[in-house]
Amino acid sequence: MLRSISPTGLILPVLLIVGAYFTFTAVQGNHGLFRRIQIEAEVDRLSLELARLEAETERMEILTRRLSDDYLDLDLLDERVRAVLGYARPDELILP
């Protein structure tokens, strides 16, 4: 004997399937919780990288200002010439 399925008997399984789908999407989807955690970790990493780059930029700006025409730091100029060109005074002893 065939038993007929009533529409009210289908509502609960359909609601469970739809609820499971939306729960899975809320956790694993493109805009889900796991993706949000990944994005927040990336934001933290990039914030640290930005701070490092800003400090490096500030250091370079200071060095550039110290070697400018308005303010010439002779000690820094001497240091850079020795480092870049490998120059030394004749009376200096250079150890490897």
Side-chain angles (χ1 to χ4, degrees), residues 48-87:
L48 291 174
E49 179 73 11
L50 177 63
R52 186 188 67 78
L53 290 173
E54 285 175 343
E56 180 71 17
T57 302
E58 184 178 342
R59 187 185 71 79
M60 291 174 135
E61 287 174 353
I62 290 170
L63 290 175
T64 302
R65 186 182 61 83
R66 287 175 59 193
L67 290 175
S68 69
D69 291 337
D70 298 332
Y71 177 82
L72 183 59
D73 186 354
L74 295 177
D75 289 334
L76 180 61
L77 180 62
D78 184 53
E79 174 190 327
R80 295 309 307 153
V81 166
R82 291 168 185 268
V84 173
L85 300 176
Y87 284 176

PDB file of all heavy atoms in Angstrom, residues 48-87:
ATOM      1  N   LEU A  48      51.666  45.635  10.423  1.00  0.00           N
ATOM      2  CA  LEU A  48      53.053  45.567  10.871  1.00  0.00           C
ATOM      3  C   LEU A  48      54.010  45.899   9.730  1.00  0.00           C
ATOM      4  O   LEU A  48      55.000  46.613   9.925  1.00  0.00           O
ATOM      5  CB  LEU A  48      53.365  44.180  11.432  1.00  0.00           C
ATOM      6  CG  LEU A  48      52.677  43.815  12.743  1.00  0.00           C
ATOM      7  CD1 LEU A  48      52.958  42.362  13.110  1.00  0.00           C
ATOM      8  CD2 LEU A  48      53.125  44.739  13.852  1.00  0.00           C
ATOM      9  N   GLU A  49      53.726  45.392   8.544  1.00  0.00           N
ATOM     10  CA  GLU A  49      54.558  45.686   7.375  1.00  0.00           C
ATOM     11  C   GLU A  49      54.519  47.182   7.048  1.00  0.00           C
ATOM     12  O   GLU A  49      55.542  47.781   6.723  1.00  0.00           O
ATOM     13  CB  GLU A  49      54.071  44.870   6.173  1.00  0.00           C
ATOM     14  CG  GLU A  49      54.832  45.101   4.903  1.00  0.00           C
ATOM     15  CD  GLU A  49      56.217  44.486   4.897  1.00  0.00           C
ATOM     16  OE1 GLU A  49      56.525  43.692   5.797  1.00  0.00           O
ATOM     17  OE2 GLU A  49      56.994  44.827   3.997  1.00  0.00           O
ATOM     18  N   LEU A  50      53.340  47.786   7.151  1.00  0.00           N
ATOM     19  CA  LEU A  50      53.208  49.219   6.901  1.00  0.00           C
ATOM     20  C   LEU A  50      54.018  50.027   7.904  1.00  0.00           C
ATOM     21  O   LEU A  50      54.713  50.983   7.541  1.00  0.00           O
ATOM     22  CB  LEU A  50      51.734  49.636   6.943  1.00  0.00           C
ATOM     23  CG  LEU A  50      51.449  51.122   6.779  1.00  0.00           C
ATOM     24  CD1 LEU A  50      51.900  51.599   5.405  1.00  0.00           C
ATOM     25  CD2 LEU A  50      49.978  51.400   6.993  1.00  0.00           C
ATOM     26  N   ALA A  51      53.953  49.650   9.169  1.00  0.00           N
ATOM     27  CA  ALA A  51      54.723  50.361  10.201  1.00  0.00           C
ATOM     28  C   ALA A  51      56.221  50.242   9.931  1.00  0.00           C
ATOM     29  O   ALA A  51      56.968  51.211  10.072  1.00  0.00           O
ATOM     30  CB  ALA A  51      54.378  49.809  11.579  1.00  0.00           C
ATOM     31  N   ARG A  52      56.664  49.048   9.516  1.00  0.00           N
ATOM     32  CA  ARG A  52      58.073  48.856   9.206  1.00  0.00           C
ATOM     33  C   ARG A  52      58.491  49.719   8.020  1.00  0.00           C
ATOM     34  O   ARG A  52      59.542  50.371   8.038  1.00  0.00           O
ATOM     35  CB  ARG A  52      58.352  47.385   8.903  1.00  0.00           C
ATOM     36  CG  ARG A  52      59.830  47.074   8.705  1.00  0.00           C
ATOM     37  CD  ARG A  52      60.045  45.655   8.220  1.00  0.00           C
ATOM     38  NE  ARG A  52      59.540  45.436   6.881  1.00  0.00           N
ATOM     39  CZ  ARG A  52      60.162  45.822   5.763  1.00  0.00           C
ATOM     40  NH1 ARG A  52      61.300  46.483   5.822  1.00  0.00           N
ATOM     41  NH2 ARG A  52      59.642  45.565   4.584  1.00  0.00           N
ATOM     42  N   LEU A  53      57.665  49.744   6.990  1.00  0.00           N
ATOM     43  CA  LEU A  53      57.985  50.537   5.807  1.00  0.00           C
ATOM     44  C   LEU A  53      57.960  52.037   6.099  1.00  0.00           C
ATOM     45  O   LEU A  53      58.770  52.791   5.552  1.00  0.00           O
ATOM     46  CB  LEU A  53      57.027  50.199   4.670  1.00  0.00           C
ATOM     47  CG  LEU A  53      57.208  48.809   4.041  1.00  0.00           C
ATOM     48  CD1 LEU A  53      56.102  48.532   3.048  1.00  0.00           C
ATOM     49  CD2 LEU A  53      58.569  48.691   3.393  1.00  0.00           C
ATOM     50  N   GLU A  54      57.040  52.479   6.945  1.00  0.00           N
ATOM     51  CA  GLU A  54      56.998  53.889   7.319  1.00  0.00           C
ATOM     52  C   GLU A  54      58.250  54.281   8.101  1.00  0.00           C
ATOM     53  O   GLU A  54      58.795  55.369   7.900  1.00  0.00           O
ATOM     54  CB  GLU A  54      55.734  54.194   8.124  1.00  0.00           C
ATOM     55  CG  GLU A  54      54.485  54.240   7.280  1.00  0.00           C
ATOM     56  CD  GLU A  54      53.220  54.429   8.086  1.00  0.00           C
ATOM     57  OE1 GLU A  54      53.244  54.208   9.326  1.00  0.00           O
ATOM     58  OE2 GLU A  54      52.196  54.786   7.483  1.00  0.00           O
ATOM     59  N   ALA A  55      58.712  53.393   8.987  1.00  0.00           N
ATOM     60  CA  ALA A  55      59.945  53.671   9.737  1.00  0.00           C
ATOM     61  C   ALA A  55      61.136  53.729   8.790  1.00  0.00           C
ATOM     62  O   ALA A  55      62.008  54.601   8.930  1.00  0.00           O
ATOM     63  CB  ALA A  55      60.153  52.607  10.810  1.00  0.00           C
ATOM     64  N   GLU A  56      61.183  52.815   7.842  1.00  0.00           N
ATOM     65  CA  GLU A  56      62.266  52.815   6.851  1.00  0.00           C
ATOM     66  C   GLU A  56      62.226  54.080   5.996  1.00  0.00           C
ATOM     67  O   GLU A  56      63.270  54.681   5.711  1.00  0.00           O
ATOM     68  CB  GLU A  56      62.155  51.572   5.955  1.00  0.00           C
ATOM     69  CG  GLU A  56      63.215  51.465   4.896  1.00  0.00           C
ATOM     70  CD  GLU A  56      64.584  51.139   5.458  1.00  0.00           C
ATOM     71  OE1 GLU A  56      64.678  50.688   6.604  1.00  0.00           O
ATOM     72  OE2 GLU A  56      65.573  51.349   4.728  1.00  0.00           O
ATOM     73  N   THR A  57      61.038  54.495   5.604  1.00  0.00           N
ATOM     74  CA  THR A  57      60.893  55.726   4.814  1.00  0.00           C
ATOM     75  C   THR A  57      61.348  56.937   5.611  1.00  0.00           C
ATOM     76  O   THR A  57      62.047  57.812   5.083  1.00  0.00           O
ATOM     77  CB  THR A  57      59.434  55.903   4.374  1.00  0.00           C
ATOM     78  OG1 THR A  57      59.039  54.770   3.615  1.00  0.00           O
ATOM     79  CG2 THR A  57      59.245  57.156   3.546  1.00  0.00           C
ATOM     80  N   GLU A  58      60.969  56.994   6.886  1.00  0.00           N
ATOM     81  CA  GLU A  58      61.383  58.107   7.736  1.00  0.00           C
ATOM     82  C   GLU A  58      62.904  58.143   7.888  1.00  0.00           C
ATOM     83  O   GLU A  58      63.519  59.207   7.819  1.00  0.00           O
ATOM     84  CB  GLU A  58      60.718  57.978   9.109  1.00  0.00           C
ATOM     85  CG  GLU A  58      61.017  59.128  10.031  1.00  0.00           C
ATOM     86  CD  GLU A  58      60.288  58.980  11.360  1.00  0.00           C
ATOM     87  OE1 GLU A  58      59.332  58.203  11.453  1.00  0.00           O
ATOM     88  OE2 GLU A  58      60.721  59.665  12.310  1.00  0.00           O
ATOM     89  N   ARG A  59      63.524  56.966   8.053  1.00  0.00           N
ATOM     90  CA  ARG A  59      64.978  56.901   8.162  1.00  0.00           C
ATOM     91  C   ARG A  59      65.644  57.396   6.885  1.00  0.00           C
ATOM     92  O   ARG A  59      66.607  58.161   6.923  1.00  0.00           O
ATOM     93  CB  ARG A  59      65.417  55.467   8.460  1.00  0.00           C
ATOM     94  CG  ARG A  59      66.914  55.327   8.755  1.00  0.00           C
ATOM     95  CD  ARG A  59      67.312  53.872   8.924  1.00  0.00           C
ATOM     96  NE  ARG A  59      67.278  53.151   7.676  1.00  0.00           N
ATOM     97  CZ  ARG A  59      68.227  53.199   6.736  1.00  0.00           C
ATOM     98  NH1 ARG A  59      69.289  53.955   6.916  1.00  0.00           N
ATOM     99  NH2 ARG A  59      68.115  52.502   5.624  1.00  0.00           N
ATOM    100  N   MET A  60      65.097  56.987   5.745  1.00  0.00           N
ATOM    101  CA  MET A  60      65.658  57.429   4.464  1.00  0.00           C
ATOM    102  C   MET A  60      65.481  58.937   4.264  1.00  0.00           C
ATOM    103  O   MET A  60      66.374  59.596   3.713  1.00  0.00           O
ATOM    104  CB  MET A  60      65.011  56.670   3.313  1.00  0.00           C
ATOM    105  CG  MET A  60      65.372  55.223   3.249  1.00  0.00           C
ATOM    106  SD  MET A  60      64.421  54.423   1.980  1.00  0.00           S
ATOM    107  CE  MET A  60      65.690  53.477   1.198  1.00  0.00           C
ATOM    108  N   GLU A  61      64.350  59.478   4.702  1.00  0.00           N
ATOM    109  CA  GLU A  61      64.129  60.919   4.587  1.00  0.00           C
ATOM    110  C   GLU A  61      65.132  61.701   5.438  1.00  0.00           C
ATOM    111  O   GLU A  61      65.648  62.740   5.013  1.00  0.00           O
ATOM    112  CB  GLU A  61      62.700  61.279   4.989  1.00  0.00           C
ATOM    113  CG  GLU A  61      61.665  60.882   3.966  1.00  0.00           C
ATOM    114  CD  GLU A  61      60.243  61.101   4.433  1.00  0.00           C
ATOM    115  OE1 GLU A  61      60.045  61.443   5.626  1.00  0.00           O
ATOM    116  OE2 GLU A  61      59.326  60.932   3.614  1.00  0.00           O
ATOM    117  N   ILE A  62      65.428  61.175   6.620  1.00  0.00           N
ATOM    118  CA  ILE A  62      66.407  61.828   7.492  1.00  0.00           C
ATOM    119  C   ILE A  62      67.787  61.798   6.849  1.00  0.00           C
ATOM    120  O   ILE A  62      68.502  62.805   6.823  1.00  0.00           O
ATOM    121  CB  ILE A  62      66.410  61.164   8.886  1.00  0.00           C
ATOM    122  CG1 ILE A  62      65.114  61.487   9.620  1.00  0.00           C
ATOM    123  CG2 ILE A  62      67.618  61.602   9.699  1.00  0.00           C
ATOM    124  CD1 ILE A  62      64.910  60.702  10.894  1.00  0.00           C
ATOM    125  N   LEU A  63      68.166  60.635   6.317  1.00  0.00           N
ATOM    126  CA  LEU A  63      69.472  60.532   5.660  1.00  0.00           C
ATOM    127  C   LEU A  63      69.543  61.434   4.427  1.00  0.00           C
ATOM    128  O   LEU A  63      70.577  62.062   4.166  1.00  0.00           O
ATOM    129  CB  LEU A  63      69.762  59.081   5.269  1.00  0.00           C
ATOM    130  CG  LEU A  63      70.038  58.121   6.420  1.00  0.00           C
ATOM    131  CD1 LEU A  63      70.188  56.701   5.901  1.00  0.00           C
ATOM    132  CD2 LEU A  63      71.259  58.550   7.204  1.00  0.00           C
ATOM    133  N   THR A  64      68.470  61.502   3.686  1.00  0.00           N
ATOM    134  CA  THR A  64      68.445  62.359   2.497  1.00  0.00           C
ATOM    135  C   THR A  64      68.569  63.824   2.890  1.00  0.00           C
ATOM    136  O   THR A  64      69.304  64.587   2.251  1.00  0.00           O
ATOM    137  CB  THR A  64      67.137  62.140   1.716  1.00  0.00           C
ATOM    138  OG1 THR A  64      67.047  60.758   1.361  1.00  0.00           O
ATOM    139  CG2 THR A  64      67.100  62.977   0.462  1.00  0.00           C
ATOM    140  N   ARG A  65      67.879  64.216   3.952  1.00  0.00           N
ATOM    141  CA  ARG A  65      67.970  65.607   4.408  1.00  0.00           C
ATOM    142  C   ARG A  65      69.384  65.918   4.892  1.00  0.00           C
ATOM    143  O   ARG A  65      69.914  66.993   4.641  1.00  0.00           O
ATOM    144  CB  ARG A  65      66.964  65.870   5.524  1.00  0.00           C
ATOM    145  CG  ARG A  65      66.911  67.343   5.947  1.00  0.00           C
ATOM    146  CD  ARG A  65      65.940  67.583   7.078  1.00  0.00           C
ATOM    147  NE  ARG A  65      66.269  66.857   8.276  1.00  0.00           N
ATOM    148  CZ  ARG A  65      67.168  67.271   9.192  1.00  0.00           C
ATOM    149  NH1 ARG A  65      67.833  68.378   9.004  1.00  0.00           N
ATOM    150  NH2 ARG A  65      67.386  66.563  10.273  1.00  0.00           N
ATOM    151  N   ARG A  66      70.018  64.949   5.547  1.00  0.00           N
ATOM    152  CA  ARG A  66      71.378  65.178   6.054  1.00  0.00           C
ATOM    153  C   ARG A  66      72.404  65.268   4.929  1.00  0.00           C
ATOM    154  O   ARG A  66      73.504  65.780   5.147  1.00  0.00           O
ATOM    155  CB  ARG A  66      71.755  64.056   7.012  1.00  0.00           C
ATOM    156  CG  ARG A  66      71.019  64.162   8.344  1.00  0.00           C
ATOM    157  CD  ARG A  66      71.282  63.000   9.245  1.00  0.00           C
ATOM    158  NE  ARG A  66      72.702  62.849   9.544  1.00  0.00           N
ATOM    159  CZ  ARG A  66      73.200  61.761  10.109  1.00  0.00           C
ATOM    160  NH1 ARG A  66      72.419  60.748  10.425  1.00  0.00           N
ATOM    161  NH2 ARG A  66      74.488  61.686  10.359  1.00  0.00           N
ATOM    162  N   LEU A  67      72.074  64.780   3.746  1.00  0.00           N
ATOM    163  CA  LEU A  67      72.995  64.874   2.610  1.00  0.00           C
ATOM    164  C   LEU A  67      72.552  65.926   1.599  1.00  0.00           C
ATOM    165  O   LEU A  67      73.105  65.997   0.514  1.00  0.00           O
ATOM    166  CB  LEU A  67      73.112  63.514   1.921  1.00  0.00           C
ATOM    167  CG  LEU A  67      73.851  62.438   2.700  1.00  0.00           C
ATOM    168  CD1 LEU A  67      73.793  61.113   1.973  1.00  0.00           C
ATOM    169  CD2 LEU A  67      75.286  62.845   2.960  1.00  0.00           C
ATOM    170  N   SER A  68      71.576  66.751   1.945  1.00  0.00           N
ATOM    171  CA  SER A  68      71.070  67.751   1.010  1.00  0.00           C
ATOM    172  C   SER A  68      71.982  68.970   0.973  1.00  0.00           C
ATOM    173  O   SER A  68      72.904  69.112   1.785  1.00  0.00           O
ATOM    174  CB  SER A  68      69.654  68.171   1.399  1.00  0.00           C
ATOM    175  OG  SER A  68      69.687  68.901   2.607  1.00  0.00           O
ATOM    176  N   ASP A  69      71.719  69.853   0.032  1.00  0.00           N
ATOM    177  CA  ASP A  69      72.519  71.072  -0.103  1.00  0.00           C
ATOM    178  C   ASP A  69      72.307  72.025   1.076  1.00  0.00           C
ATOM    179  O   ASP A  69      73.211  72.776   1.437  1.00  0.00           O
ATOM    180  CB  ASP A  69      72.166  71.795  -1.404  1.00  0.00           C
ATOM    181  CG  ASP A  69      72.641  71.027  -2.618  1.00  0.00           C
ATOM    182  OD1 ASP A  69      73.584  70.222  -2.476  1.00  0.00           O
ATOM    183  OD2 ASP A  69      72.062  71.232  -3.711  1.00  0.00           O
ATOM    184  N   ASP A  70      71.130  72.026   1.659  1.00  0.00           N
ATOM    185  CA  ASP A  70      70.830  72.933   2.761  1.00  0.00           C
ATOM    186  C   ASP A  70      71.548  72.539   4.051  1.00  0.00           C
ATOM    187  O   ASP A  70      71.920  73.393   4.852  1.00  0.00           O
ATOM    188  CB  ASP A  70      69.324  72.971   3.024  1.00  0.00           C
ATOM    189  CG  ASP A  70      68.552  73.491   1.830  1.00  0.00           C
ATOM    190  OD1 ASP A  70      69.133  74.278   1.060  1.00  0.00           O
ATOM    191  OD2 ASP A  70      67.384  73.103   1.673  1.00  0.00           O
ATOM    192  N   TYR A  71      71.717  71.247   4.258  1.00  0.00           N
ATOM    193  CA  TYR A  71      72.314  70.756   5.494  1.00  0.00           C
ATOM    194  C   TYR A  71      73.181  69.560   5.137  1.00  0.00           C
ATOM    195  O   TYR A  71      72.673  68.468   4.902  1.00  0.00           O
ATOM    196  CB  TYR A  71      71.214  70.355   6.485  1.00  0.00           C
ATOM    197  CG  TYR A  71      71.727  69.759   7.761  1.00  0.00           C
ATOM    198  CD1 TYR A  71      72.170  70.574   8.790  1.00  0.00           C
ATOM    199  CD2 TYR A  71      71.772  68.390   7.949  1.00  0.00           C
ATOM    200  CE1 TYR A  71      72.643  70.032   9.963  1.00  0.00           C
ATOM    201  CE2 TYR A  71      72.245  67.833   9.120  1.00  0.00           C
ATOM    202  CZ  TYR A  71      72.685  68.662  10.127  1.00  0.00           C
ATOM    203  OH  TYR A  71      73.153  68.131  11.290  1.00  0.00           O
ATOM    204  N   LEU A  72      74.467  69.729   5.081  1.00  0.00           N
ATOM    205  CA  LEU A  72      75.374  68.655   4.689  1.00  0.00           C
ATOM    206  C   LEU A  72      76.108  68.134   5.914  1.00  0.00           C
ATOM    207  O   LEU A  72      76.868  68.848   6.565  1.00  0.00           O
ATOM    208  CB  LEU A  72      76.373  69.161   3.649  1.00  0.00           C
ATOM    209  CG  LEU A  72      77.342  68.113   3.101  1.00  0.00           C
ATOM    210  CD1 LEU A  72      76.553  66.983   2.442  1.00  0.00           C
ATOM    211  CD2 LEU A  72      78.288  68.739   2.112  1.00  0.00           C
ATOM    212  N   ASP A  73      75.878  66.886   6.232  1.00  0.00           N
ATOM    213  CA  ASP A  73      76.548  66.223   7.348  1.00  0.00           C
ATOM    214  C   ASP A  73      77.804  65.554   6.789  1.00  0.00           C
ATOM    215  O   ASP A  73      77.734  64.540   6.093  1.00  0.00           O
ATOM    216  CB  ASP A  73      75.609  65.204   7.978  1.00  0.00           C
ATOM    217  CG  ASP A  73      76.177  64.577   9.232  1.00  0.00           C
ATOM    218  OD1 ASP A  73      77.344  64.840   9.557  1.00  0.00           O
ATOM    219  OD2 ASP A  73      75.432  63.819   9.881  1.00  0.00           O
ATOM    220  N   LEU A  74      78.949  66.113   7.086  1.00  0.00           N
ATOM    221  CA  LEU A  74      80.200  65.612   6.521  1.00  0.00           C
ATOM    222  C   LEU A  74      80.554  64.218   7.020  1.00  0.00           C
ATOM    223  O   LEU A  74      81.137  63.422   6.281  1.00  0.00           O
ATOM    224  CB  LEU A  74      81.337  66.595   6.808  1.00  0.00           C
ATOM    225  CG  LEU A  74      81.186  67.961   6.123  1.00  0.00           C
ATOM    226  CD1 LEU A  74      82.324  68.871   6.525  1.00  0.00           C
ATOM    227  CD2 LEU A  74      81.114  67.812   4.617  1.00  0.00           C
ATOM    228  N   ASP A  75      80.218  63.910   8.255  1.00  0.00           N
ATOM    229  CA  ASP A  75      80.481  62.570   8.772  1.00  0.00           C
ATOM    230  C   ASP A  75      79.664  61.517   8.010  1.00  0.00           C
ATOM    231  O   ASP A  75      80.170  60.451   7.678  1.00  0.00           O
ATOM    232  CB  ASP A  75      80.158  62.487  10.257  1.00  0.00           C
ATOM    233  CG  ASP A  75      81.143  63.256  11.107  1.00  0.00           C
ATOM    234  OD1 ASP A  75      82.303  63.419  10.652  1.00  0.00           O
ATOM    235  OD2 ASP A  75      80.767  63.678  12.213  1.00  0.00           O
ATOM    236  N   LEU A  76      78.391  61.827   7.761  1.00  0.00           N
ATOM    237  CA  LEU A  76      77.552  60.905   7.002  1.00  0.00           C
ATOM    238  C   LEU A  76      78.053  60.779   5.567  1.00  0.00           C
ATOM    239  O   LEU A  76      78.078  59.682   5.005  1.00  0.00           O
ATOM    240  CB  LEU A  76      76.091  61.368   7.004  1.00  0.00           C
ATOM    241  CG  LEU A  76      75.114  60.474   6.238  1.00  0.00           C
ATOM    242  CD1 LEU A  76      75.073  59.070   6.829  1.00  0.00           C
ATOM    243  CD2 LEU A  76      73.739  61.093   6.221  1.00  0.00           C
ATOM    244  N   LEU A  77      78.462  61.885   4.980  1.00  0.00           N
ATOM    245  CA  LEU A  77      79.005  61.855   3.625  1.00  0.00           C
ATOM    246  C   LEU A  77      80.251  60.975   3.563  1.00  0.00           C
ATOM    247  O   LEU A  77      80.403  60.139   2.664  1.00  0.00           O
ATOM    248  CB  LEU A  77      79.317  63.271   3.150  1.00  0.00           C
ATOM    249  CG  LEU A  77      79.885  63.405   1.741  1.00  0.00           C
ATOM    250  CD1 LEU A  77      78.890  62.898   0.724  1.00  0.00           C
ATOM    251  CD2 LEU A  77      80.270  64.844   1.469  1.00  0.00           C
ATOM    252  N   ASP A  78      81.129  61.129   4.539  1.00  0.00           N
ATOM    253  CA  ASP A  78      82.337  60.316   4.611  1.00  0.00           C
ATOM    254  C   ASP A  78      81.988  58.831   4.769  1.00  0.00           C
ATOM    255  O   ASP A  78      82.571  57.963   4.110  1.00  0.00           O
ATOM    256  CB  ASP A  78      83.204  60.791   5.774  1.00  0.00           C
ATOM    257  CG  ASP A  78      84.523  60.054   5.840  1.00  0.00           C
ATOM    258  OD1 ASP A  78      85.244  60.019   4.816  1.00  0.00           O
ATOM    259  OD2 ASP A  78      84.827  59.522   6.923  1.00  0.00           O
ATOM    260  N   GLU A  79      81.027  58.544   5.623  1.00  0.00           N
ATOM    261  CA  GLU A  79      80.593  57.162   5.834  1.00  0.00           C
ATOM    262  C   GLU A  79      80.042  56.545   4.550  1.00  0.00           C
ATOM    263  O   GLU A  79      80.367  55.414   4.197  1.00  0.00           O
ATOM    264  CB  GLU A  79      79.531  57.127   6.931  1.00  0.00           C
ATOM    265  CG  GLU A  79      78.898  55.773   7.150  1.00  0.00           C
ATOM    266  CD  GLU A  79      77.702  55.844   8.076  1.00  0.00           C
ATOM    267  OE1 GLU A  79      77.704  56.692   9.002  1.00  0.00           O
ATOM    268  OE2 GLU A  79      76.761  55.066   7.860  1.00  0.00           O
ATOM    269  N   ARG A  80      79.197  57.293   3.838  1.00  0.00           N
ATOM    270  CA  ARG A  80      78.594  56.768   2.608  1.00  0.00           C
ATOM    271  C   ARG A  80      79.640  56.570   1.505  1.00  0.00           C
ATOM    272  O   ARG A  80      79.590  55.611   0.755  1.00  0.00           O
ATOM    273  CB  ARG A  80      77.485  57.697   2.111  1.00  0.00           C
ATOM    274  CG  ARG A  80      76.282  57.811   3.029  1.00  0.00           C
ATOM    275  CD  ARG A  80      75.688  56.482   3.468  1.00  0.00           C
ATOM    276  NE  ARG A  80      75.386  55.630   2.338  1.00  0.00           N
ATOM    277  CZ  ARG A  80      75.366  54.297   2.381  1.00  0.00           C
ATOM    278  NH1 ARG A  80      75.627  53.667   3.495  1.00  0.00           N
ATOM    279  NH2 ARG A  80      75.084  53.585   1.323  1.00  0.00           N
ATOM    280  N   VAL A  81      80.604  57.494   1.398  1.00  0.00           N
ATOM    281  CA  VAL A  81      81.660  57.349   0.390  1.00  0.00           C
ATOM    282  C   VAL A  81      82.469  56.097   0.661  1.00  0.00           C
ATOM    283  O   VAL A  81      82.776  55.325  -0.257  1.00  0.00           O
ATOM    284  CB  VAL A  81      82.566  58.604   0.384  1.00  0.00           C
ATOM    285  CG1 VAL A  81      83.844  58.349  -0.393  1.00  0.00           C
ATOM    286  CG2 VAL A  81      81.820  59.780  -0.213  1.00  0.00           C
ATOM    287  N   ARG A  82      82.795  55.861   1.926  1.00  0.00           N
ATOM    288  CA  ARG A  82      83.567  54.668   2.273  1.00  0.00           C
ATOM    289  C   ARG A  82      82.769  53.391   1.992  1.00  0.00           C
ATOM    290  O   ARG A  82      83.315  52.409   1.494  1.00  0.00           O
ATOM    291  CB  ARG A  82      83.968  54.707   3.740  1.00  0.00           C
ATOM    292  CG  ARG A  82      84.977  55.774   4.046  1.00  0.00           C
ATOM    293  CD  ARG A  82      85.102  55.937   5.570  1.00  0.00           C
ATOM    294  NE  ARG A  82      85.973  57.024   5.887  1.00  0.00           N
ATOM    295  CZ  ARG A  82      87.275  56.897   6.089  1.00  0.00           C
ATOM    296  NH1 ARG A  82      87.831  55.712   6.008  1.00  0.00           N
ATOM    297  NH2 ARG A  82      88.017  57.934   6.383  1.00  0.00           N
ATOM    298  N   ALA A  83      81.478  53.409   2.300  1.00  0.00           N
ATOM    299  CA  ALA A  83      80.656  52.205   2.116  1.00  0.00           C
ATOM    300  C   ALA A  83      80.385  51.926   0.644  1.00  0.00           C
ATOM    301  O   ALA A  83      80.479  50.778   0.196  1.00  0.00           O
ATOM    302  CB  ALA A  83      79.333  52.358   2.866  1.00  0.00           C
ATOM    303  N   VAL A  84      80.052  52.949  -0.124  1.00  0.00           N
ATOM    304  CA  VAL A  84      79.651  52.739  -1.514  1.00  0.00           C
ATOM    305  C   VAL A  84      80.863  52.590  -2.431  1.00  0.00           C
ATOM    306  O   VAL A  84      80.933  51.676  -3.250  1.00  0.00           O
ATOM    307  CB  VAL A  84      78.734  53.891  -1.983  1.00  0.00           C
ATOM    308  CG1 VAL A  84      78.449  53.774  -3.460  1.00  0.00           C
ATOM    309  CG2 VAL A  84      77.439  53.901  -1.186  1.00  0.00           C
ATOM    310  N   LEU A  85      81.827  53.482  -2.291  1.00  0.00           N
ATOM    311  CA  LEU A  85      82.959  53.489  -3.215  1.00  0.00           C
ATOM    312  C   LEU A  85      84.158  52.692  -2.709  1.00  0.00           C
ATOM    313  O   LEU A  85      85.079  52.409  -3.477  1.00  0.00           O
ATOM    314  CB  LEU A  85      83.387  54.935  -3.504  1.00  0.00           C
ATOM    315  CG  LEU A  85      82.306  55.814  -4.141  1.00  0.00           C
ATOM    316  CD1 LEU A  85      82.828  57.234  -4.287  1.00  0.00           C
ATOM    317  CD2 LEU A  85      81.867  55.258  -5.472  1.00  0.00           C
ATOM    318  N   GLY A  86      84.165  52.372  -1.442  1.00  0.00           N
ATOM    319  CA  GLY A  86      85.274  51.612  -0.890  1.00  0.00           C
ATOM    320  C   GLY A  86      86.516  52.448  -0.683  1.00  0.00           C
ATOM    321  O   GLY A  86      87.627  51.913  -0.690  1.00  0.00           O
ATOM    322  N   TYR A  87      86.371  53.738  -0.530  1.00  0.00           N
ATOM    323  CA  TYR A  87      87.521  54.625  -0.333  1.00  0.00           C
ATOM    324  C   TYR A  87      88.014  54.567   1.113  1.00  0.00           C
ATOM    325  O   TYR A  87      87.263  54.298   2.034  1.00  0.00           O
ATOM    326  CB  TYR A  87      87.158  56.068  -0.660  1.00  0.00           C
ATOM    327  CG  TYR A  87      87.060  56.376  -2.128  1.00  0.00           C
ATOM    328  CD1 TYR A  87      86.655  57.624  -2.557  1.00  0.00           C
ATOM    329  CD2 TYR A  87      87.388  55.441  -3.086  1.00  0.00           C
ATOM    330  CE1 TYR A  87      86.557  57.933  -3.902  1.00  0.00           C
ATOM    331  CE2 TYR A  87      87.309  55.731  -4.432  1.00  0.00           C
ATOM    332  CZ  TYR A  87      86.884  56.969  -4.838  1.00  0.00           C
ATOM    333  OH  TYR A  87      86.809  57.264  -6.166  1.00  0.00           O
TER     334      TYR A  87
END
